[in-house]
Amino acid sequence: MFEYFPGNYIWNLGVAATLNSGGLIDEVDRACRPIRELAKQGSDVGTAEFMRSWQAVADQLEQQAAEAEKAGHLRTAGQKYFRAAAYLCQAERMQSAKDPGRKVVYQHLLELMEKSFELVDPATTRVAVPFEGGILPAYLTRAERPDGSPAPTVIMWNGLDSTKEHMYCSGWPAEMAARGISVLQVDCPGSGEALRFADLKARVTTEDWAAACVDYLETRDDVDHSRIGLVGWSLGGYYVPRAAAFEKRLALAVAWGANHNWGEVQKARLEREGENPVPHYWDHVLWVWGYDDIDAFIEAAEAIHLNGVVEQITCPFLITHGSNDRQINVEYAHQSYDQAVHSPRRELRVFTPEEGATEHIGLDHLPHVGAFTADWIEDVFTGR
């Protein structure tokens, strides 16, 4: 993986993710250069300075975007609003769950993102998935079929610390739309707006919000109701297989990075085994899952696994994983694959250092994993 900050895995992963998700190397360099020495003190130290440094670049872009918009250069404006939002969502992700400024930053980046939709991506709109008396905020990137027919649609879920904005910035929804497949990018309980503004916590029974997503898509006449799939990355590698085991309306499922026994991984992290995905890790985990005490969380987390679950998946099932994933060992990918014996079309694709995409969910070469996954979904939906 490209290491801008030698030895600081978490900050490096954020840089690699940004450069693979619409970030420009000059702007990322200008955001990172002032904090290069600070990074040597570890991932938890200096996250406030990280926010300020990235915010400065985002603010400059926002100002340039406003000037371009005023001058009538709408594509330039939309592109700059997009990158400003992309940098803010990466920097906001790095902050402590206890940081009181997170909500303000997140609300602002939402506004910037919607400006970019209006100016350069009208195919993407904000939608709301009804869920348990409230909503799950989402973006829908719509595919236009040449014959005007309803489009097959993929529901996309994030992981422990990402948001629907990270999914959108990856470019994958736009790529799928170009292939004639719409993508519903959802802030699940425990992530994004659902966590920050509605205090919805993650839970073991992910089929609950899978059913809500499918119910919503079935109300739309621009969706092919017989071809609705589900994709999730990182902790989504647990969320998605669990949901697919019990929500039988799904036509396919993809674990973009396996997470067969996340509860077991948490015990290992207590012993400082493997890498964490974000700074201030335990504060973040307790925030996502709704616990005040680590011991109580660890006990509850014993239920976050797929043993006895993936055997119940009866739709096509793809697992992708990096051979050098320092967060989730590749062995967990093999466990999910080996146990998914009732899937009529299961596949495990492990990415190697020689080709790239060997780190967590392929963030070191995200488009490579994205293309493989898109091809597989196309093949399943078309019966190839």
Side-chain angles (χ1 to χ4, degrees):
M1 181 172 66
F2 170 63
E3 295 194 2
Y4 191 97
F5 305 109
N8 190 326
Y9 168 83
I10 293 176
W11 289 24
N12 286 330
L13 198 68
V15 169
T18 305
L19 290 174
N20 278 305
S21 300
L24 299 184
I25 194 165
D26 170 77
E27 292 165 355
V28 172
D29 176 57
R30 283 191 284 118
C32 291
R33 190 166 293 274
I35 54 174
R36 199 164 192 170
E37 290 301 311
L38 191 59
K40 296 176 182 178
Q41 299 181 39
S43 59
D44 290 0
V45 176
T47 51
E49 289 84 354
F50 190 108
M51 183 75 248
R52 283 194 291 272
S53 192
W54 285 55
Q55 176 91 58
V57 173
D59 287 349
Q60 181 188 54
L61 279 168
E62 183 180 356
Q63 181 179 352
Q64 292 172 351
E67 292 168 356
E69 186 176 13
K70 185 177 179 180
H73 303 304
L74 301 186
R75 284 197 58 79
T76 296
Q79 291 161 2
K80 288 180 182 287
Y81 282 133
F82 164 78
R83 293 202 306 280
Y87 299 148
L88 288 178
C89 76
Q90 188 58 245
E92 189 269 352
R93 186 186 72 86
M94 304 288 276
Q95 303 309 299
S96 168
K98 298 176 180 178
D99 184 341
R102 287 192 73 160
K103 287 185 179 180
V104 173
V105 172
Y106 190 72
Q107 180 60 52
H108 185 57
L109 74 88
L110 292 176
E111 295 163 2
L112 293 174
M113 193 65 77
E114 292 207 46
K115 284 185 178 181
S116 77
F117 297 161
E118 294 168 7
L119 295 174
V120 294
D121 186 15
T124 300
T125 56
R126 182 182 177 86
V127 298
V129 175
F131 179 68
E132 297 182 353
I135 65 163
L136 298 177
Y139 297 142
L140 178 64
T141 300
R142 294 182 63 249
E144 293 291 343
R145 308 280 289 181
D147 61 0
S149 62
T153 302
V154 172
I155 304 159
M156 191 175 188
W157 289 350
N158 42 44
L160 178 73
D161 53 89
S162 58
T163 67
K164 66 187 180 303
E165 289 71 45
H166 292 99
M167 293 187 281
Y168 176 78
C169 288
S170 74
W172 195 76
E175 175 60 29
M176 295 304 290
R179 296 168 182 243
I181 299 170
S182 298
V183 181
L184 179 70
Q185 304 132 71
V186 184
D187 276 336
C188 306
S191 71
E193 290 183 67
L195 176 64
R196 287 157 180 78
F197 301 144
D199 201 34
L200 291 176
K201 304 299 186 180
R203 63 179 72 165
V204 171
T205 54
T206 64
E207 60 270 24
D208 297 346
W209 63 80
C213 292
V214 177
D215 287 346
Y216 166 74
L217 290 174
E218 287 186 340
T219 69
R220 298 186 62 102
D221 60 10
D222 56 354
V223 171
D224 180 344
H225 302 163
S226 68
R227 291 189 289 175
I228 296 174
L230 179 60
V231 175
W233 60 26
S234 195
L235 187 52
Y238 164 77
Y239 292 156
V240 164
R242 166 79 198 201
F246 301 107
E247 177 45 78
K248 297 301 183 181
R249 290 175 292 175
L250 294 170
L252 59 83
V254 179
W256 189 325
N259 234 316
H260 189 84
N261 196 328
W262 196 72
E264 186 174 82
V265 170
Q266 303 321 294
K267 289 185 176 180
R269 285 180 178 166
L270 278 178
E271 302 300 321
R272 304 188 68 80
E273 296 177 17
E275 296 283 0
N276 294 336
V278 286
H280 317 289
Y281 179 71
W282 291 110
D283 285 346
H284 190 91
V285 167
L286 297 180
W287 181 39
V288 167
W289 288 89
Y291 285 85
D292 297 320
D293 178 76
I294 291 179
D295 291 338
F297 164 73
I298 291 295
E299 182 178 353
E302 291 182 1
I304 309 171
H305 65 80
L306 296 170
N307 293 315
V309 174
V310 286
E311 290 91 335
Q312 301 182 63
I313 294 175
T314 53
C315 64
F317 180 36
L318 170 66
I319 305 160
T320 65
H321 210 87
S323 61
N324 189 44
D325 188 331
R326 288 179 265 179
Q327 294 183 40
I328 307 295
N329 192 283
V330 67
E331 177 57 33
Y332 288 110
H334 290 282
Q335 289 179 22
S336 286
Y337 176 81
D338 290 344
Q339 293 179 29
V341 292
H342 293 118
S343 168
R345 181 173 179 169
R346 59 176 170 155
E347 183 170 348
L348 170 61
R349 175 67 160 89
V350 176
F351 295 88
T352 66
E354 291 75 21
E355 62 183 313
T358 187
E359 290 286 354
H360 186 61
I361 70 166
L363 281 172
D364 52 320
H365 193 0
L366 198 61
H368 186 44
V369 185
F372 180 88
T373 303
D375 290 345
W376 186 88
I377 291 171
E378 268 194 308
D379 288 349
V380 172
F381 275 155
T382 58
R384 285 203 290 260

